[in-house]
Amino acid sequence: MLFPSLILFITLLIREVISDPNMEELEGTWSSKSNTVFTGPGFYDPVDELLIEPDLPGISYSFTKDGHYEEALYRVEGNPKNHSCPVASITYQHGTYEILSNGSVVLTPIAVDGRQLLSDPCNSDDPTKSKYTRYVQPTYFKAYRVYVNNYHGRYALEIYQFDGSKMQPLYLAYKPPLMLPTTALNPTDQNSETDSSLNEKRQRIKRSLENQYRTNAVKQVYNENFDKYWWISVGCLGLASTYFFIFMK
Ligand SMILES: *[C@@H]1O[C@H](CO)[C@@H](O)[C@H](O)[C@H]1NC(C)=O
Ligand SMILES: *[C@@H]1O[C@H](CO)[C@@H](O)[C@H](O)[C@H]1NC(C)=O
């Protein structure tokens, strides 16, 4: 009876080490095809509370394997009535996420930290000005799927939104993810801030950035020549992990 108990022991050990296989799978920075939008310090500067406009529209999500997420969206929507009147928005949010037992995902933002820059030239008093506001939008994904894209040999993330519609596919860009600190960046209310407390806050965020975000993000490099080899090894890994999961059930 030594063998079964050894297996049990190893299984328990592995379960201890590997937290949640679904979160491990989601871990990373995912970016849409334009490859211009990434979460992290290149998109939002929390010290000066600046949103930085990417070159082209796109979206990016980052997830850590311990339940934090960050969202970076640069969206431009055409106005069908008047093509010279598109509505553009840049949105930053971060917070925690949870994968429910039925596979849905709930994103809960840190309310004080979300920001949006909205440009709607035909519906504002001063068309040259964008509107900068706080932004809080809890988000619900009905389902998601991580798979290897056959054509590029890249990890892809497919998200089904709350209404079941498919979001544009996202591709793995960094793992571990490229993110700002996952704790609240702006814990005080801006209205009640004096200049000195604002300065203090900036110093604090700066320090926390210097300490925390010495980033350990690793860029995922896709070399065409290695694609095939890489794909085959992923195939093997896939088999290995399938075996692994059957084994764990
Ligand atoms: C479209 O919007 C521009 C800018 O506000 C305006 O000058 C133009 O008259 C509008 N065109 C139409 C067809 O409404
Ligand atoms: C998953 O569960 C949540 C909470 O009970 C529910 O709101 C959601 O509709 C469920 N999702 C699916 C795809 O059934």
Side-chain angles (χ1 to χ4, degrees):
M1 294 309 283
L2 182 66
F3 190 56
S5 43
L6 189 64
I7 288 181
L8 183 66
F9 174 72
I10 291 172
T11 308
L12 290 177
L13 198 69
I14 289 171
R15 273 191 195 218
E16 278 297 304
V17 175
I18 296 176
S19 40
D20 179 341
N22 295 317
M23 284 184 159
E24 301 238 323
E25 185 185 53
L26 264 187
E27 187 199 12
T29 294
W30 303 84
S31 180
S32 57
K33 206 171 168 188
S34 67
N35 222 33
T36 51
V37 179
F38 304 98
T39 56
F43 187 82
Y44 178 59
D45 168 0
V47 177
D48 293 322
E49 299 190 32
L50 280 179
L51 286 161
I52 301 152
E53 183 176 336
D55 292 339
L56 289 170
I59 62 177
S60 174
Y61 281 92
S62 281
F63 300 94
T64 67
K65 59 186 170 192
D66 62 351
H68 297 277
Y69 84 97
E70 189 173 323
E71 175 185 66
L73 314 174
Y74 177 23
R75 291 173 296 189
V76 178
E77 273 162 44
N79 180 339
K81 289 204 198 101
N82 187 336
H83 292 293
S84 54
C85 278
V87 178
S89 63
I90 304 178
T91 310
Y92 163 84
Q93 289 197 103
H94 74 163
T96 54
Y97 77 97
E98 191 188 350
I99 302 174
L100 307 181
S101 54
N102 63 10
S104 296
V105 183
V106 177
L107 310 184
T108 308
I110 298 172
V112 291
D113 282 350
R115 294 290 181 277
Q116 185 174 67
L117 193 62
L118 185 72
S119 150
D120 187 359
C122 295
N123 285 306
S124 71
D125 303 335
D126 183 352
T128 60
K129 283 219 174 86
S130 302
K131 207 165 78 188
Y132 185 72
T133 55
R134 290 198 168 191
Y135 185 84
V136 190
Q137 178 66 65
T139 304
Y140 162 77
F141 297 148
K142 197 165 184 184
Y144 73 92
R145 180 167 80 97
V146 173
Y147 64 101
V148 176
N149 176 293
N150 286 348
Y151 182 68
H152 301 287
R154 298 176 64 170
Y155 275 106
L157 171 62
E158 192 167 74
I159 291 173
Y160 296 84
Q161 301 174 91
F162 68 98
D163 59 355
S165 66
K166 240 195 260 181
M167 195 183 275
Q168 54 182 310
L170 304 177
Y171 299 95
L172 186 64
Y174 295 90
K175 185 168 183 157
L178 181 65
M179 292 170 83
L180 289 164
T182 53
T183 49
L185 298 166
N186 291 287
T188 48
D189 183 12
Q190 224 173 355
N191 296 332
S192 65
E193 273 171 8
T194 60
D195 277 355
S196 66
S197 83
L198 197 63
N199 262 336
E200 207 170 288
K201 188 192 85 181
R202 291 204 166 129
Q203 286 308 319
R204 189 182 45 72
I205 297 174
K206 235 176 211 156
R207 269 199 308 276
S208 109
L209 279 173
E210 280 160 8
N211 294 335
Q212 288 190 38
Y213 123 80
R214 280 170 197 273
T215 178
N216 58 350
V218 176
K219 193 169 179 140
Q220 303 293 297
V221 181
Y222 300 97
N223 182 329
E224 294 295 321
N225 297 330
F226 285 108
D227 265 4
K228 204 167 259 170
Y229 169 73
W230 191 84
W231 204 78
I232 290 167
S233 37
V234 166
C236 296
L237 266 180
L239 278 182
S241 53
T242 308
Y243 172 73
F244 180 67
F245 286 121
I246 292 168
F247 181 66
M248 296 236 315
K249 287 278 149 74

